[in-house]
Amino acid sequence: MAMADPLRPLMTDGLGRRISYLRISVTDRCDLRCRYCMAEKMQFLPKNQVLTLEEIALLADLFIARGIRKIRLTGGEPLVRRDIGDLVRRIGRRIGTGLDELTLTTNGTRLVDHAEMLADAGVRRINVSLDSRDPERFAHVTRGGKIDQVLVGLDAARAAGLAVKINMVALKGVNDDEILPMLRWCGEQGFDLTLIETMPLGDTGEDRTDHYLPLTLVAERIRAEHALTPLSHRTGGPARYHAVEGMSIKLGVITPLTQNFCADCNRIRMTCEGKIFMCLGHEDHVDFKEALREGGLPAVEPLIDRALRLKPAAHDFRIGAGEGAATRRHMSVTGG
């Protein structure tokens, strides 16, 4: 399957939204335990429930044939998956023959060992999740992570020629005093920065309401120091970007709670189990794994159209006293 197959219908949901972006979680495992993302003691999937790398590659090819133009590999932490380089290279070969871009979201702890491989395979930019540069605070948020591993990884990514965007979840009372310093540091490093509101996904053992920080308030604080100018720039995801006065980088904001971004959603997510979730904030899904293992790709293709019919108009994220998680799934299961 070389390009999008003209004999196959492109992926359009029931509301007429063209689906062109697939996020693939290659593992639910991670070497960190970020407080807003995972519980401290996680029960991970047994190996036989997880798609093989070959199965993931076959499904990626099928989606490209149906018109997917961008794929992002996520986790968990995708770089903890054994032989992840094989998958990156396999999908990377599709760039220019149906696929426009292959990207990756990582916590950065293993970039020092994988940055060159990613660049050689055709990855041109990555997102790195980094909520604090303070060693003690980073260890607190990640439940034991070491910031030096990430900083060395960022140096390796830059040396390999990868464009880096830092993803920072804004957490009241945790890192709100670091947002402006992070922005300025990113400006010095040449990294774009995207700020993200915490999302109520899965039971993390903590009350997210305590740490919810509306990005409308954050933007006001930034504007007091740096003028922000809205940009038309898009990378395929939900972030809305701004130019920052005095800096050459872009500031993105992802606001699932204060400003719903669902009207022009172009994304679907595949978990490492082969479940397709049409929305991060809903439980409805279609399971491809059994069909693939019993009937191959011909058995999977009709399920794509079924999944498209399930895509809702919008997520149902709410946060506040007494509000539970929007889904039982942790973010690490679906993929960030």
Side-chain angles (χ1 to χ4, degrees), residues 23 25 74-75 196-202 238 254 256 261-262 265 267-271 276-285 310-312 314-317 325-336:
R23 301 174 72 106
S25 173
T74 70
I196 306 171
E197 289 177 341
T198 186
M199 300 184 195
L201 297 170
I254 297 179
F261 46 67
C262 302
C265 181
R267 298 171 297 286
I268 58 174
R269 287 172 164 82
M270 184 170 75
T271 73
I276 294 291
F277 283 88
M278 301 303 293
C279 177
L280 186 61
H282 286 260
E283 294 285 3
D284 290 341
H285 66 275
L310 288 176
K311 189 166 179 65
H315 61 64
D316 193 27
F317 291 146
T327 73
R328 295 185 298 274
R329 306 183 321 276
H330 292 90
M331 175 70 88
S332 60
V333 173
T334 318

Side-chain angles (χ1 to χ4, degrees), residues 75-265:
E77 169 48 47
L79 297 181
V80 305
R81 179 80 190 251
R82 185 176 179 182
D83 297 327
I84 184 63
D86 294 343
L87 179 66
V88 176
R89 285 184 285 268
R90 167 85 177 262
I91 298 177
R93 287 197 291 268
R94 300 303 313 276
I95 297 171
T97 58
L99 190 66
D100 292 338
E101 186 178 36
L102 175 63
T103 60
L104 178 122
T105 294
T106 174
N107 62 29
T109 60
R110 301 188 181 217
L111 270 176
V112 70
D113 297 320
H114 292 90
E116 286 190 12
M117 174 275 291
L118 294 171
D120 290 345
V123 174
R124 295 293 171 258
R125 60 187 185 89
I126 58 173
N127 291 357
V128 178
S129 301
L130 180 61
D131 303 311
S132 174
R133 291 187 301 119
D134 177 84
E136 290 185 10
R137 189 175 288 177
F138 181 84
H140 170 75
V141 171
T142 60
R143 296 191 177 102
K146 293 179 172 58
I147 186 63
D148 287 347
Q149 285 182 293
V150 179
L151 297 178
V152 170
L154 289 170
D155 288 340
R158 179 162 40 206
L162 297 171
V164 172
K165 178 164 72 70
I166 299 297
N167 284 348
M168 182 182 191
V169 178
L171 300 166
K172 183 175 67 176
V174 177
N175 66 358
D176 43 344
D177 62 334
E178 281 196 75
I179 292 174
L180 266 168
M182 182 73 84
L183 176 62
R184 291 167 183 153
W185 177 77
C186 285
E188 294 166 0
Q189 300 296 317
F191 301 152
D192 289 340
L193 172 66
T194 290
L195 301 174
I196 306 171
E197 289 177 341
T198 186
M199 300 184 195
L201 297 170
D203 181 6
T204 62
E206 300 191 2
D207 187 349
R208 290 183 176 89
T209 308
D210 293 341
H211 300 305
Y212 168 55
L213 181 60
L215 289 186
T216 49
L217 296 179
V218 174
E220 289 177 10
R221 296 175 191 171
I222 293 174
R223 286 191 181 99
E225 303 284 338
H226 303 274
L228 300 178
T229 305
L231 298 172
S232 60
H233 175 77
R234 296 287 184 271
T235 59
R240 297 298 178 261
Y241 291 93
H242 300 77
V244 184
E245 183 184 31
M247 299 185 191
S248 60
I249 65 167
K250 293 181 287 293
L251 172 67
V253 292
I254 297 179
T255 53
L257 293 159
T258 57
Q259 188 176 8
N260 185 298
F261 46 67
C262 302
D264 57 355
C265 181

